[in-house]
Each structure stands twice: as C-alpha cells, then as structure tokens.
Amino acid sequence: DSGVTQTPKHLITATGQRVTLRCSPRSGDLSVYWYQQSLDQGLQFLIQYYNGEERAKGNILERFSAQQFPDLHSELNLSSLELGDSALYFCASSVAFNEQFFGPGTRLTVL
Amino acid sequence: ELKVEQNPLFLSMQEGKNYTIYCNYSTTSDRLYWYRQDPGKSLESLFVLLSNGAVKQEGRLMASLDTKARLSTLHITAAVHDLSATYFCAVEYGNKLVFGAGTILRVKS
C-alpha cells in the first residue's frame, strides 16, 4: 500500500458523459501526478500539480481538466467521454519532484 | 522528446533460468525507475537508479544504469513463478515520468 488513495475504484458510464476521479496523496506529499494507462497508448503522463499549482502538462486532452485543492487532494475531470477514454487512470504523489508513489487506480469504462 | 524503449516486450521463461530486460532512452535524465505491475493492479516501485554505474539488487532482481549508453538493465536470476508480472522502466524527464511499453514476463514451471 503506497499511501495514495483513489476513488472510485471502478466507473462505468456512457459516451458523452462527464466523470470526476479523486486522488488523495500520501501524507506530506505536495505533488500530485495523473497518468492514463490504455492498451494502445501505454502509460502516459497527463498533468502534475504542486501545492495547488499546475506544474507540468503532458498528453492531456482539452476535454480533460484537473485541479489540486488546498487540502492537497486532486480531482481529474473527464468530459464528453468517448469510447477511447476507457482506461486505467493512476494518480501518483511525491514530496516535491522526486520519487513518485502510485495509487491503486480508477478503471474507467465508457460504453 | 524523450523516447523510452524496452525489449523484449514479451518474455516467457522457464523457472530457474536467467534473463535480462533492456531499457534504452533517448535523452539525458537524472533518474530511472523500474516498476512491477500485476494484472489490473497498481505500479509497485522496484528500483530507483540515480547515477551512472548504479547497481541495485533485491532478491532475484538486479537493476543497473549506464547513463553514457542511456541504457538500464533488469536482470532476473533463477526465475520463479512469483516473478510473473509486467515490468516497466520509466525515465524522469522534467516533472514527469516517461514509461517504456513494458515487458510481460511469464515464468513457466
């Protein structure tokens, strides 16, 4: 158990819908990262927040957005969902910009 | 942009045999990580390699880093069934990790 928690564990929804994935970092960690894992794209970095501020952006679609709140938890919002958005979404956290510890993931299925 | 290549992508091994997974990357980086992932599960950190010539060992797994060659290896000694999983290398690039495609390891008894 890495100490990073993610909810929900599974999410099944329909195309066109919007969902929110939640992540709580390890105690003391200020950085939160979001990754997407899919069969065709592998593991891809989406976005990073440090102490509430966006610090790095990867291959994140415009339909996706994220934020980190004052209590340091983070949410990833996915809207206008498409079949291709079905994937495992991981959150990771680190103290600053060092070793990242991964949460259990949220499996999103878009039907 | 940083590219990370792993090979092989699939490895079927007999118990008791040795093998090596290779991870090549295209741009200088400060850190390289190896992770293990069981089906449907999260990523478990195995090794963090910080400098040229770094070698770390844990049980039957040993990882090394050659920053000049931009190459890391994960060596498996006397494989056992419990090592069956997918292994990823990841290279730190800016504030993010860039992952290889992963190596699916199956150890047959």
Side-chain angles (χ1 to χ4, degrees), chain B residues 5-75:
Chain B
E5 289 186 358
Q6 265 182 259
N7 68 85
L9 298 183
F10 182 77
L11 181 53
S12 181
M13 295 178 65
Q14 288 291 127
E15 273 193 332
K17 299 291 188 184
N18 304 334
Y19 211 83
T20 300
I21 299 170
Y22 298 88
C23 175
N24 291 275
Y25 54 100
S26 60
T27 306
T28 302
S29 170
D30 291 335
R31 291 193 188 100
L32 188 139
Y33 301 82
W34 284 95
Y35 289 93
R36 168 182 170 143
Q37 186 180 35
D38 291 300
K41 303 291 186 184
S42 186
L43 294 159
E44 174 192 351
S45 178
L46 295 174
F47 301 106
V48 182
L49 302 170
L50 301 176
S51 59
N52 190 42
V55 177
K56 290 196 174 179
Q57 182 159 7
E58 181 73 36
R60 299 175 189 275
L61 301 178
M62 183 173 72
S64 66
L65 178 62
D66 180 344
T67 57
K68 291 178 184 171
R70 295 181 190 150
L71 171 69
S72 179
T73 60
L74 180 67
H75 187 74

Side-chain angles (χ1 to χ4, degrees), chain A residues 52-99:
Chain A
E53 290 188 10
E54 182 185 305
R55 281 300 185 100
K57 217 165 184 176
N59 299 323
I60 187 165
L61 299 170
E62 283 192 16
R63 300 182 284 108
F64 296 1
S65 65
Q67 59 184 129
Q68 186 179 28
F69 294 86
D71 67 352
L72 301 177
H73 91 272
S74 178
E75 291 180 358
L76 179 67
N77 300 297
L78 315 176
S79 61
S80 302
L81 285 167
E82 302 174 0
L83 295 177
D85 297 328
S86 296
L88 253 177
Y89 290 84
F90 287 109
C91 166
S93 74
S94 65
V95 172
F97 307 107
N98 46 9
E99 185 177 2

Side-chain angles (χ1 to χ4, degrees), chain A residues 33 35 37 48 99-100 103, chain B residues 35 37 42 45 95-97:
Chain A
Y33 310 77
Y35 292 85
Q37 184 177 31
Q48 181 218 0
E99 185 177 2
Q100 299 176 28
Chain B
Y35 289 93
Q37 186 180 35
S42 186
S45 178
N95 291 349
K96 66 181 182 183
L97 293 178

Side-chain angles (χ1 to χ4, degrees), chain A residues 1-6 23-32 50-51 68 70-74 91-96 98-103:
Chain A
D1 185 351
S2 67
V4 179
T5 61
Q6 288 186 249
C23 167
S24 292
R26 296 184 318 158
S27 177
D29 285 359
L30 299 179
S31 277
V32 169
Y50 174 76
N51 204 20
Q68 186 179 28
D71 67 352
L72 301 177
H73 91 272
S74 178
C91 166
S93 74
S94 65
V95 172
N98 46 9
E99 185 177 2
Q100 299 176 28
F101 294 86
F102 283 76

